[in-house]
Amino acid sequence: MRISRARLTPIVAAGAVLAAALAGVGLPTAPATAAAGCRIDYVPNQWAGGFTANIRISPGDTAVNGWTVTWTWGGDQRITNGWSAEVSQSGATVTARNVAWNASVPAGGSTEFGVQGTVGANTAGPTGFALNGVPCNGATPPPTTTAPPTTPPPTTPPPTTPPPTTPPPTTPPPTTPPPTTPPPTTPPPAGCGTAVLCDGFENQTGSVPSGDWTVVNPDCSGTGTAAIDTATTHSGSRSLRINGTVGYCNHVFARTTRGLSTLGAVRYARLWVRHTTALPTSHVTFLAMADSADGGKDLRMGGQNGALQWNRASDDATLPEQSPSGVALSLPLATNRWSCVEFMVDGAQGRLNTWVDGTAVTGLTVDGTPTHDIDGQWLNRTWRPQLTDLRLGWESYGEGADTLWFDDVAVGPSRIGC
């Protein structure tokens, strides 16, 4: 993220009843197809005069096909835009509806969207979350009212004098106008767009990755470490630092805990990476994603013969082929400066594209037609990946120690850009 002043406030998971409120403002409602156990988690990132928020929808035991989420602001927040949903606001009530690609959420699954807005002095969080008209986060539906008896109780006579009434106020209560604060001068995280993950590590409060990231050590644990760094960043005040050491058992990664299940067959990613030591001759990895269509084996990005490469763990196929001509069609990863690395994996078509600092890399492209020195080895069998996670770190298989930093990481259904 690019907001050095941002602070992460606690997840707001408050439930309340919205049926009467929605009727009062005339908002359309969707059929009540959400389970009573649905949950909506609201994670804000707020600064003076503005905020962004990520909202995660978990329908519980019942799948939904088409969703509408509603809540009511407790403060004077005003939505200015959103992503991965159609978001509108009427008074204090916000309505968010799915877009085409994230309409269906399976039972036990989740999807996410985000909003951006302005806020004045009253920053009280939202309440009354509902999914398709059903209160979420443990809120109970409104009680049914019982009609009064048609015959008054015989033992209690009606009062002979009506109780005094309090006259209505002659002056209507003051209304809070929308905030006049202009949009913040410090922008929200860059390049979010439709991304389901867009993280600059600014919400990390400790020295070890936590929250949206967890440290994992595939195969075995050694001397490699993952940490949150405040000295070297691409933007903001924090980055992910990987101290990669030599040796098979020194594998270390930070794995995102954010759900990527809403992504379809096509996945785009963007990350900024900086490292200190040139890629070695031997094979190393700094990014890995498990492929459920390949026995859970990893699709890995790293280096070999001094240049960037992709590697398929199931059969050790490389992209490009490790011939002098193939390696020449890739490029080294520059040291001691930030590089923007982007890639696209199309699981339906079995294709892959890679960009470095906005320029496509010929040797890191799978176009579906086997090409000698590039993807001939890669396409020696059918490849239709179904990627399930994202890990950033370091694996060394023979030689090669390195210190790496990652920042401004984004994953989504369309190209995000640098």
Side-chain angles (χ1 to χ4, degrees), residues 75-127:
D76 51 14
Q77 297 91 338
R78 298 293 300 180
I79 297 294
T80 57
N81 62 71
W83 56 92
S84 300
E86 297 178 359
V87 185
S88 61
Q89 181 171 346
S90 176
T93 302
V94 178
T95 302
R97 294 182 176 86
N98 64 273
V99 290
W101 58 268
N102 64 1
S104 297
V105 186
S110 65
T111 189
E112 299 178 1
F113 67 94
V115 296
Q116 180 184 352
T118 60
V119 62
N122 188 349
T123 60
T127 59

Side-chain angles (χ1 to χ4, degrees), residues 265-346:
V266 179
R267 169 185 298 203
Y268 285 82
R270 187 279 315 277
L271 59 138
W272 288 86
V273 58
R274 179 186 179 116
H275 71 139
T276 60
T277 307
L279 296 173
T281 301
S282 296
H283 177 209
V284 293
T285 293
F286 60 78
L287 181 151
M289 298 172 287
D291 183 357
S292 64
D294 198 12
K297 298 292 187 179
D298 284 344
L299 173 63
R300 306 182 289 202
M301 187 179 196
Q304 190 167 346
N305 289 311
L308 286 169
Q309 72 151 14
W310 286 96
N311 176 277
R312 195 164 55 201
S314 61
D315 59 0
D316 210 31
T318 66
L319 182 74
E321 297 174 8
Q322 294 304 299
S323 64
S325 297
V327 172
L329 294 173
S330 183
L331 76 169
L333 183 63
T335 58
N336 298 311
R337 74 167 178 85
W338 288 98
S339 298
C340 178
V341 176
E342 301 174 84
F343 63 84
M344 182 281 296
V345 179
D346 184 341

Side-chain angles (χ1 to χ4, degrees), residues 216-225 245 247-253 300 394-397:
V216 294
N217 303 93
D219 307 308
C220 52
S221 177
T223 59
T225 59
T245 54
Y248 183 81
C249 278
N250 294 324
H251 297 183
V252 61
F253 286 86
R300 306 182 289 202
W394 187 252
E395 288 184 350
S396 171
Y397 308 95

